[in-house]
Amino acid sequence: MPAPRPQPSTAPVHYRVEPADLHAHLFAVTLTVHRPATRQELSLPVWIPGSYLVREFSKNLQSLRATQGGRPVALAQLDKHRWQAQCKKGQPLVLTYEVAAYDTSVRTAWLDASRGFFNGTSLCLRVHGQEDGPHALELVRTPATSGWSAATGLTPAKATRTGFGTYLAADYDELVDCPVEMGTFWSARFTAAGVPHRVVVSGAAPSFDGERLVADMRRICEHQIRFWHGSGKAPHASYVFMLNVVDDGYGGLEHRNSTALICGRRDLPRVGEARAPEGYTTLLGLVSHEYFHTWNVKRLRPSEFARYDYAQENYTQLLWFFEGFTSYYDDLLLRRCGLLDNTAYLRLLTKAIHQVLQAPGRHVQSVAQASFDAWVKYYRQDENTANATVNYYTKGSLVALCLDLALRREGRTSLDEVMRGLWQRCAGGPMTEADLLQTLKSLSGRDWSREIAQWVHGTDDLPLAELLLAHGVTLQEEAPQWAQRLGLRVSEPQGLQVKVVLRGGLAEQAGFMAGDEWLAVETEGGTWRMTKMDDLPLYAGPAAEVTAWISRDRRVFRLPLRLQPAPGRLGDTVRLTVSDPAQAERWLATR
């Protein structure tokens, strides 16, 4: 039987959070440590689990002061995110400070006159030595926010109907893994496989069809709980979806019993319109992805994450599994629960294949290396990223695809069973690559270390065509668009701007560089102004070579540009079609 949760008055660590100044975007925090150490150390995390980049949250903390019995306490800053208070025994330590909340993403904190949001990693100083004990969080509603409500996945101790009040966490990890949404949001509730769920939506337009969103979310949640547990019990007693709707945005961050999401306003379903916007499928995929993380990364997690170190990078080579396999299942489970048909699913799979094939970095970096390098490469992308790295989300999802199809072809098991086997083997806790290999062997009857070495730790292309064909889906090469044909990534809103020059492509051979503006193309028939890539075939006609006029640092250059790739070059644009519907259905429609 779990230990009883303490009452708010007895929680050793108590945070009082108040949206203090909406126009200055400041949260006010009062932290009470009832039994501080003589030299009590405190720190603010430098990163948030699920987003693998040191973000230095302490840059937003200001006006930190400490008192005991109303008298000032000496407070020394030790480094960029740590402080030490010189305390007297027997008296509570009270710290007050402010946090500037300007980040609209799901990772930090936001506050304005219409909405507040925060993750505990941005607002809650960690009390060293007391991380494993109970923590209380008190959410305060002010006169300026009298019409607001609050929502969080934390356990309420003494909360009002509006959600403000005091909540409890078993330890610091739980406290900072339950974000808080506040404002005048839309809210609804549903039950999936016996688990109560809540959806809060902030910023939606009046046309928003909340009933449809909730119905589709319920289908996703019910299907995923059954995927992992059959008729068994889910590991979470409740769940909260927090959706922030903006003019143009996308993102999500998983938590143990909640998720914070962002979507574009035009991506939501609309009342009275049977056909949902194209972006709605993307939103449902995001919901599916973050909910799948409830199992795969929040509980079944890399052994290196068995205990988070909030002070520095936490390295693992397994993000290809935890993010990549989740990315495989997010859309596949939409197909299986009837929210996508085969055509729509294969369209999404084609997009993932393109993202990998059209990145020369897949031959430079393995997906295991990409996982380890996430802290310095994935979240800091630049003009060379596509040439030097591979995306552990997309290639990881294709590794999962290949593994699933290879297992199904041999006929003894599937990746579905492997995922459930891992959950049982690791007791829903930390796992290693060796656990995956052992589970694969025990369920399939053979060793898979060669495939994992090649697909995960190697840089050769995956056997996609062969494995897809064995399941009734044909992969065919197609003629690429002109930008890809030349090895360019461009933007066209105001002239033709070169964003990326892909390694080994025709544009690189001609001397193009990221940041160039492509001004014109010169042919035998004259020189023509370029404003978009579609201008090139119009003006070049059948020519095998043209001269490109580009602007770089206010200087104009003429570059000789071949228009035909070298013979035998591997195609990086493909099309998927169902060649054997019965075979494809056995894979795609598995319940």
Side-chain angles (χ1 to χ4, degrees):
M1 175 179 290
R5 288 180 176 270
Q7 296 302 307
S9 59
T10 62
V13 180
H14 184 105
Y15 301 85
R16 183 182 189 273
V17 175
E18 174 184 344
D21 192 328
L22 305 184
H23 300 308
H25 314 284
L26 291 174
F27 282 106
V29 182
T30 301
L31 166 58
T32 301
V33 185
H34 288 285
R35 293 181 292 278
T38 304
R39 295 181 178 179
Q40 182 61 64
E41 189 171 320
L42 308 112
S43 66
L44 198 65
V46 304
W47 70 290
I48 181 169
S51 184
Y52 307 104
L53 177 68
V54 171
R55 297 184 184 275
E56 313 292 18
F57 298 131
S58 61
K59 67 184 179 182
N60 298 315
L61 189 150
Q62 62 191 47
S63 304
L64 177 62
R65 296 179 178 85
T67 61
Q68 280 186 299
R71 296 185 177 184
V73 169
L75 194 63
Q77 185 164 1
L78 304 179
D79 57 28
K80 64 183 181 181
H81 74 122
R82 291 186 304 137
W83 294 262
Q84 188 179 80
Q86 302 295 327
C87 301
K88 295 180 180 179
K89 288 186 177 181
Q91 290 187 5
L93 171 66
V94 179
L95 298 109
T96 60
Y97 54 95
E98 297 172 332
V99 174
Y102 287 90
D103 187 355
T104 59
S105 79
V106 296
R107 297 179 292 262
T108 315
W110 169 263
L111 182 64
D112 69 0
S114 62
R115 173 180 178 262
F117 171 84
F118 68 87
N119 288 285
T121 45
S122 292
L123 262 69
C124 298
L125 285 169
R126 181 165 61 100
V127 182
H128 291 218
Q130 301 195 36
E131 299 96 326
D132 295 332
H135 289 57
L137 176 66
E138 181 184 356
L139 303 176
V140 179
R141 189 163 65 166
T142 65
T145 60
S146 60
W148 285 17
S149 298
T152 179
L154 287 169
T155 301
K158 191 178 180 181
T160 67
R161 181 178 53 83
T162 62
F164 285 90
T166 303
Y167 293 82
L168 298 176
D171 50 33
Y172 184 79
D173 282 347
E174 182 181 358
L175 175 80
V176 300
D177 203 14
C178 294
V180 174
E181 176 79 24
M182 54 180 68
T184 54
F185 48 70
W186 179 91
S187 178
R189 299 178 187 271
F190 67 87
T191 300
V195 178
H197 292 66
R198 186 182 185 189
V199 184
V200 298
V201 180
S202 175
S207 60
F208 164 52
D209 186 349
E211 185 176 336
R212 177 170 181 177
L213 176 65
V214 168
D216 291 343
M217 282 183 163
R218 180 188 293 114
R219 291 173 71 175
I220 292 168
C221 297
E222 287 179 342
H223 190 87
Q224 291 199 14
I225 293 172
R226 288 197 303 269
F227 172 91
W228 286 99
H229 305 289
S231 59
K233 190 176 180 181
H236 48 293
S238 62
Y239 197 89
V240 183
F241 290 98
M242 305 174 189
L243 176 59
N244 181 28
V245 185
V246 297
D247 179 60
D248 184 22
Y250 173 83
L253 190 62
E254 69 275 3
H255 299 280
R256 66 180 62 197
N257 68 338
S258 63
T259 183
L261 309 168
I262 293 178
C263 78
R265 204 160 280 124
R266 295 169 183 82
D267 295 335
L268 289 173
R270 299 167 194 172
V271 174
E273 295 186 12
R275 184 172 182 177
E278 184 176 345
Y280 185 52
T281 297
T282 304
L283 172 59
L284 292 180
L286 178 64
V287 168
S288 180
H289 183 98
E290 303 304 341
Y291 197 68
F292 199 82
H293 272 320
T294 307
W295 294 268
N296 198 39
V297 92
K298 294 312 300 182
R299 290 170 174 82
L300 190 66
R301 64 170 74 178
S303 59
E304 296 90 345
F305 292 177
R307 183 67 183 260
Y308 291 124
D309 183 347
Y310 295 101
Q312 61 184 352
E313 296 89 344
N314 291 216
Y315 294 101
T316 178
Q317 288 194 351
L318 285 173
L319 295 183
W320 60 269
F321 178 87
F322 291 99
E323 292 293 355
F325 280 40
T326 300
S327 296
Y328 172 61
Y329 276 110
D330 55 18
D331 290 333
L332 182 60
L333 295 183
L334 292 186
R335 166 63 191 90
R336 291 181 180 174
C337 70
L339 292 171
L340 291 178
D341 59 20
N342 286 350
T343 300
Y345 173 72
L346 292 180
R347 189 182 305 122
L348 293 172
L349 182 57
T350 301
K351 182 179 178 181
I353 293 172
H354 284 164
Q355 288 175 351
V356 174
L357 291 182
Q358 295 174 4
R362 74 187 191 279
H363 293 311
V364 176
Q365 183 187 54
S366 73
V367 74
Q369 291 171 325
S371 301
F372 197 85
D373 282 342
W375 297 91
V376 294
K377 293 187 177 180
Y378 179 77
Y379 288 95
R380 291 174 173 159
Q381 299 193 17
D382 57 27
E383 61 276 1
N384 193 49
T385 294
N387 295 320
T389 71
V390 68
N391 187 314
Y392 55 79
Y393 282 84
T394 49
K395 186 173 181 183
S397 73
L398 298 186
V399 170
L401 168 70
C402 288
L403 198 53
D404 194 14
L405 298 183
L407 289 165
R408 290 174 183 275
R409 182 173 62 177
E410 295 188 6
R412 294 190 60 176
T413 190
S414 68
L415 189 59
D416 300 358
E417 295 297 335
V418 170
M419 298 301 289
R420 291 187 283 267
L422 274 169
W423 179 266
Q424 295 297 324
R425 174 185 174 84
C426 301
M431 64 159 277
T432 65
E433 187 175 300
D435 290 313
L436 172 61
L437 287 169
Q438 285 297 320
T439 304
L440 283 166
K441 186 175 183 179
S442 66
L443 291 175
S444 71
R446 75 167 179 89
D447 181 56
W448 289 79
S449 56
R450 180 177 63 86
E451 285 85 355
I452 296 299
Q454 292 176 349
W455 300 348
V456 172
H457 298 279
T459 57
D460 290 341
D461 285 324
L462 299 170
L464 294 169
E466 168 198 344
L467 290 170
L468 285 166
L469 185 60
H471 292 79
V473 177
T474 301
L475 184 151
Q476 297 174 310
E477 291 186 20
E478 283 205 327
Q481 299 293 316
W482 269 101
Q484 188 61 30
R485 182 171 172 177
L486 298 179
L488 287 175
R489 294 181 182 174
V490 301
S491 66
E492 301 176 335
Q494 295 179 337
L496 193 55
Q497 302 289 332
V498 176
K499 296 299 183 184
V500 174
V501 179
L502 297 175
R503 185 73 70 241
L506 297 172
E508 184 187 59
Q509 295 167 17
F512 278 79
M513 180 178 176
D516 289 349
E517 181 183 5
W518 193 345
L519 300 174
V521 59
E522 179 182 340
T523 68
E524 290 183 359
T527 302
W528 306 87
R529 180 76 169 95
M530 289 275 290
T531 58
K532 54 185 182 295
M533 284 302 303
D534 287 345
D535 292 339
L536 182 58
L538 173 66
Y539 300 135
E545 184 173 321
V546 297
T547 299
W549 290 53
I550 62 99
S551 171
R552 181 184 305 160
D553 191 29
R554 301 286 180 173
R555 301 175 66 191
V556 176
F557 298 88
R558 298 170 71 247
L559 306 177
L561 176 65
R562 289 191 301 112
L563 300 182
Q564 299 297 329
R569 182 171 177 267
L570 179 66
D572 50 22
T573 302
V574 302
R575 178 167 57 94
L576 300 181
T577 56
V578 175
S579 52
D580 187 328
Q583 280 187 315
E585 199 72 6
R586 283 193 289 271
W587 159 44
L588 295 174
T590 298
R591 292 293 189 268

